[in-house]
Amino acid sequence: MERNGMIRRTVLPSSPVGVEYSLTPLGESLRDPFMHLYEWTVRHSEQIIAAQREYDGTPSALT
């Protein structure tokens, strides 16, 4: 994500060395789309879990 310009990595001059990450403006622009995806996932979580259980019970998922 740092390479893609979404986060900024700062090495802190401490002992032991620390690292701090922060969002860049580009990364910050993902906040709204990510929240929509998160909210959709929460709304559909029961269906998703049911689909996972059904899939996991199929012979093709066991191989």
Side-chain angles (χ1 to χ4, degrees):
M1 292 177 71
E2 182 181 12
R3 180 175 178 242
N4 293 335
M6 293 180 214
I7 61 170
R8 182 178 304 108
R9 180 178 181 267
T10 305
V11 177
L12 304 174
S14 59
S15 181
V17 174
V19 179
E20 179 179 270
Y21 294 92
S22 59
L23 291 174
T24 64
L26 181 61
E28 196 63 50
S29 73
L30 282 172
R31 189 178 298 271
D32 285 342
F34 178 80
M35 286 308 297
H36 287 292
L37 178 60
Y38 171 77
E39 291 166 359
W40 179 90
T41 303
V42 170
R43 268 195 317 275
H44 295 90
S45 62
E46 289 182 21
Q47 292 171 276
I48 293 167
I49 291 168
Q52 290 171 344
R53 288 183 177 148
E54 182 180 340
Y55 180 88
D56 291 345
T58 61
S60 61
L62 302 176
T63 58

